[in-house]
Amino acid sequence: MIRYGLSWFIIGAGVLFSLYLLGQVPEGVYFSGDGGLKALLAQQLSEGIFRIDLVKPDVEWVRQLWQDGLYPYEEPFVYYLNDRYYITFPYPFSLMTAPFYALFGEWGLYVIPLVSTWLIWISFNVYCYYLKLSPFQQGLAVFLLVFASNLTLYSGMYWEHTLAVLFCLIGMIILLVPRESVTIKEAILSGFFVGLSAWIRSEFLAMIATLTFLVGIMTIVRLSSNFQSDREFNLAKKMKLDNLLYLGDKGWIFILTMYATVGLFFISNKLIYGHFLGIHALQIVEEFSIIRRLTEAWESFLEIIVTFFEYFPVACFSLLYLLLFLITKSFQEKIPRIIFITLIIFSLITSVYWVNTHGLTEIKLFVKTYGILVILSAIWLFLSKKEDIKINQRMAFIYVMSLLFTTGVALLVDSGSDEIAVGGKQWGQRYLLILLPFFSIMIVKQLKLFLQTSQYLIKYYTIFLFSIFLMIGLYKNIYLGTDFFQKTHRGVTEAIEFLGNDPRQVVVVSHQYAAQLLESPLRKDKLFFRVDKPENLVKLGQTLIKNNKSEFIYVCYPYRKCEIPDLTSKVFTKEDNDNASFQVIFNSLGDKGKYAMYEGKLISRNSVN
């Protein structure tokens, strides 16, 4: 193992980099509003309030205003069900981070995402060792995963992605390590960990479906092979699956364990929410339209794939390797020819669809950004057209698994109309993080195979092209990623500090996104409401006057229209008394970080006269 010190050194450097990222996070500030909502639940659980819904305050008028439409959050982030408010996200992550919050405060929330990332690297390094990669190959694979992919930035986010990836990766490593047969213990452990990932992130149901299909096929092939003698027709060799046949050994145990683990999660959802699929899934089922779902899935599929390669550009080499294999083999074998023709048809349909939906502007931007890279890649394909390209069974397995999983994710994820992209605010494609370790290994193996057999000129051009992909990945994820990470966390601390020091208890936001980032560190001292319509301002004003409160702070979310302060000095009639009215006077308090804030003063008609 001493010979593999390079990979451990790279992991050590990654640990330092992840700690540096965490050091850029101000206390009480989250990468996205999702984290703020999960933190609210974790804080509540850490205080011994063992309820999965967000507990309402005991103040009756606050409860009534929330029920009348002034609750700071709305669907699809929080759902009101059975007189309770549930965040849309699976509860296990908040439940698991709650003890760390109780021990270490705000920083305790980052323990699991950070340590999970380190354990992903360590597990991946061990997996590379069992795959018998050379020390240099192993070091390169680890380097690609740690520094040339978008995974590491998620170590500094209060998000459950790294934990889900860790669980799934451990299960898949146990499943995929090459060997003659699988023990019952290994099948159970593998299925358990893969199933456990779906407790944390719902898109891993797509991986469960993918592995069910692939392992199911291998189980059938293995069973059929057991009934055949050496002289008879061998289905495994005919299908070129003999090297993967071990995946079918105890495959049914693996599949049953996966589904049993997920089944327990569904049962817990039923007990908590009254529905096996949980809150968000319940909403999707109720509003389900197959045409809408397929249309969104097609658009999501395209965007997910493009984003994956954009933020992990070294994977483009693996894509080119596959394309070269299909081109060279399509003249010799039937299956590669069919796949290649299908790929051409898919590319043409996608291009026509993209032009019709996005116009030529997007095409021009793509050509301007990646035109040179496309030309260099085309030159590589031309120069390498006579090379002997090989794709072994494990590579084919990774390609097929990735395609099926991505398709499943596209079908599962629900892209909201308010989201800027599939997955919303993120760095790279967060739904496909589990594919990064497997692509990293496949890339270094393909690079080695190609360099061993290629001619002198092509060999050095390949190194040149791969180096460009690598440099782009490093620039994208280390430099631009760190810059994006830092900018994302700016402008919130000032708002939190101002509100924390202000004596007024009532805080009103123009959009739920503002509350998601501000309420968590202020939840014990402030009451949050959302007012984005004049009629809700009337409800708020007359309720506050009834309860002897004449002032509040109004917070404008910077990336949406904020028109309520424009209603200053307008006279509103009280809903319960046509002869009584009041005014709301808005005085600007200036910008506090990235939020424009106003002081709201309520003046009854008697005071005005």
Side-chain angles (χ1 to χ4, degrees):
M1 290 291 287
I2 297 177
R3 295 187 302 124
Y4 293 85
L6 175 62
S7 60
W8 292 110
F9 175 79
I10 293 170
I11 289 175
V15 169
L16 294 178
F17 178 60
S18 63
L19 290 173
Y20 168 76
L21 286 175
L22 189 59
Q24 306 303 301
V25 180
E27 186 174 0
V29 179
Y30 306 101
F31 176 81
S32 72
D34 295 6
L37 290 172
K38 293 164 192 171
L40 281 174
L41 182 56
Q43 290 167 346
Q44 178 180 294
L45 291 166
S46 71
E47 295 169 357
I49 305 173
F50 297 113
R51 287 173 52 177
I52 302 304
D53 63 303
L54 297 179
V55 177
K56 295 175 285 187
D58 293 330
V59 185
E60 180 58 33
W61 65 268
V62 175
R63 289 169 173 255
Q64 190 59 50
L65 278 177
W66 284 2
Q67 197 168 344
D68 288 344
L70 276 71
Y71 189 65
Y73 312 108
E74 58 184 333
E75 300 176 5
F77 295 98
V78 175
Y79 293 89
Y80 185 65
L81 181 67
N82 299 327
D83 197 32
R84 294 187 175 189
Y85 296 98
Y86 294 96
I87 65 173
T88 185
F89 314 103
Y91 68 88
F93 183 65
S94 294
L95 183 63
M96 294 174 69
T97 54
F100 294 99
Y101 179 84
L103 290 172
F104 307 112
E106 290 287 343
W107 297 115
L109 296 175
Y110 292 90
V111 171
I112 287 181
L114 183 66
V115 175
S116 295
T117 306
W118 298 347
L119 293 177
I120 289 171
W121 299 338
I122 293 171
S123 302
F124 176 72
N125 197 30
V126 173
Y127 181 48
C128 290
Y129 177 78
Y130 279 107
L131 291 179
K132 295 181 171 57
L133 298 184
S134 68
F136 177 77
Q137 281 182 296
Q138 185 165 331
L140 179 59
V142 172
F143 185 79
L144 295 180
L145 182 64
V146 176
F147 292 110
S149 80
N150 56 313
L151 173 66
T152 301
L153 257 71
Y154 286 86
S155 66
M157 303 177 192
Y158 180 57
W159 227 339
E160 65 272 22
H161 288 284
T162 57
L163 179 62
V165 170
L166 174 64
F167 285 152
C168 190
L169 180 63
I170 291 174
M172 293 181 69
I173 286 175
I174 296 172
L175 174 70
L176 296 176
V177 168
R179 53 195 179 279
E180 291 295 325
S181 61
V182 179
T183 65
I184 294 178
K185 180 181 177 181
E186 289 170 339
I188 292 175
L189 282 174
S190 179
F192 171 72
F193 277 108
V194 174
L196 200 60
S197 64
W199 281 66
I200 310 301
R201 290 293 311 179
S202 59
E203 68 265 17
F204 280 86
L205 291 171
M207 182 59 78
I208 289 172
T210 298
L211 293 178
T212 299
F213 175 73
L214 295 176
V215 174
I217 288 177
M218 297 313 305
T219 301
I220 295 171
V221 172
R222 186 179 179 91
L223 287 174
S224 67
S225 300
N226 291 338
F227 291 102
Q228 298 167 347
S229 65
D230 293 337
R231 291 174 295 178
E232 292 178 342
F233 173 77
N234 192 309
L235 181 62
K237 289 186 178 179
K238 180 66 176 178
M239 296 178 66
K240 298 182 179 179
L241 296 173
D242 49 304
N243 292 335
L244 297 174
L245 210 56
Y246 70 95
L247 295 177
D249 186 27
K250 312 295 188 306
W252 62 276
I253 298 178
F254 165 77
I255 293 172
L256 285 177
T257 306
M258 271 199 312
Y259 281 91
T261 306
V262 176
L264 291 174
F265 179 55
F266 287 167
I267 291 172
S268 71
N269 281 336
K270 178 66 174 177
L271 295 173
I272 294 170
Y273 307 113
H275 195 284
F276 288 108
L277 299 179
I279 289 296
H280 195 196
L282 175 62
Q283 187 77 1
I284 293 174
V285 169
E286 289 179 345
E287 299 179 357
F288 183 78
S289 165
I290 189 167
I291 296 176
R292 170 181 168 270
R293 183 70 266 166
L294 291 176
T295 302
E296 288 185 353
W298 169 253
E299 295 173 350
S300 297
F301 179 78
L302 297 178
E303 186 176 329
I304 286 171
I305 289 179
V306 171
T307 312
F308 176 78
F309 287 102
E310 180 184 357
Y311 286 83
F312 191 47
V314 288
C316 292
F317 179 79
S318 194
L319 188 64
L320 289 173
Y321 190 92
L322 174 63
L323 185 58
L324 183 61
F325 172 82
L326 294 175
I327 292 173
T328 56
K329 298 298 181 182
S330 61
F331 298 101
Q332 306 167 14
E333 301 177 24
K334 185 178 180 180
I335 293 179
R337 183 161 56 251
I338 294 173
I339 297 175
F340 183 57
I341 293 173
T342 303
L343 188 62
I344 291 175
I345 294 173
F346 174 80
S347 300
L348 290 174
I349 294 174
T350 302
S351 300
V352 172
Y353 173 81
W354 196 264
V355 171
N356 288 335
T357 55
H358 295 81
L360 292 175
T361 304
E362 290 283 342
I363 303 296
K364 291 178 181 178
L365 180 62
F366 177 83
V367 172
K368 182 179 179 180
T369 307
Y370 301 106
I372 295 177
L373 205 57
V374 172
I375 293 173
L376 292 175
S377 299
I379 293 173
W380 182 82
L381 289 172
F382 178 77
L383 294 175
S384 307
K385 63 181 183 297
K386 294 183 179 180
E387 296 295 323
D388 183 24
I389 302 297
K390 296 179 180 179
I391 289 183
N392 59 36
Q393 295 177 23
R394 296 187 69 83
M395 292 179 190
F397 180 88
I398 299 303
Y399 281 126
V400 174
M401 180 193 73
S402 301
L403 178 62
L404 292 177
F405 174 66
T406 304
T407 303
V409 167
L411 288 168
L412 280 176
V413 297
D414 188 38
S415 182
S417 59
D418 206 27
E419 291 185 343
I420 57 176
V422 178
K425 184 180 177 182
Q426 59 187 339
W427 180 253
Q429 188 42 251
R430 59 191 175 99
Y431 295 132
L432 301 186
L433 291 175
I434 183 60
L435 299 182
L436 296 174
F438 301 104
F439 263 88
S440 297
I441 291 173
M442 186 166 65
I443 290 166
V444 297
K445 283 191 169 185
Q446 290 173 339
L447 185 63
K448 179 185 177 182
L449 285 173
F450 189 83
L451 294 179
Q452 284 178 336
T453 58
S454 60
Q455 300 176 10
Y456 182 83
L457 176 63
I458 300 173
K459 180 182 296 186
Y460 284 98
Y461 186 81
T462 302
I463 295 174
F464 166 72
L465 182 62
F466 179 80
S467 299
I468 291 177
F469 288 136
L470 179 59
M471 287 187 290
I472 293 174
L474 293 174
Y475 175 74
K476 187 88 174 177
N477 293 294
I478 300 300
Y479 178 74
L480 294 182
T482 302
D483 184 60
F484 175 78
F485 189 84
Q486 293 170 337
K487 288 180 179 178
T488 300
H489 290 88
R490 291 174 188 161
V492 181
T493 301
E494 298 90 337
I496 293 173
E497 290 178 349
F498 175 80
L499 292 174
N501 294 326
D502 191 272
R504 284 160 285 209
Q505 187 183 23
V506 176
V507 177
V508 185
V509 296
S510 65
H511 196 282
Q512 66 171 328
Y513 289 165
Q516 288 175 9
L517 288 175
L518 297 175
E519 184 181 7
S520 172
L522 301 168
R523 57 186 283 270
K524 291 184 178 180
D525 304 313
K526 303 295 180 181
L527 295 172
F528 276 76
F529 302 91
R530 175 175 49 87
V531 171
D532 52 6
K533 294 179 289 188
E535 53 266 36
N536 285 345
L537 183 61
V538 174
K539 294 176 184 178
L540 175 72
Q542 63 184 12
T543 301
L544 291 181
I545 290 173
K546 282 182 183 178
N547 290 275
N548 301 316
K549 292 184 180 292
S550 59
E551 294 184 358
F552 60 89
I553 298 292
Y554 192 87
V555 181
C556 285
Y557 182 67
Y559 308 115
R560 297 291 187 277
K561 289 183 178 180
C562 186
E563 300 174 339
I564 293 298
D566 295 337
L567 301 173
T568 185
S569 300
K570 182 178 179 180
V571 178
F572 295 101
T573 301
K574 293 183 180 180
E575 293 181 350
D576 57 350
N577 187 348
D578 292 338
N579 296 319
S581 62
F582 67 92
Q583 288 179 296
V584 184
I585 308 298
F586 286 100
N587 298 315
S588 175
L589 297 172
D591 292 343
K592 308 301 177 184
K594 62 182 179 182
Y595 300 98
M597 294 195 186
Y598 296 84
E599 174 190 58
K601 288 188 176 183
L602 298 166
I603 304 175
S604 66
R605 186 169 184 175
N606 292 334
S607 297
V608 174
N609 293 337

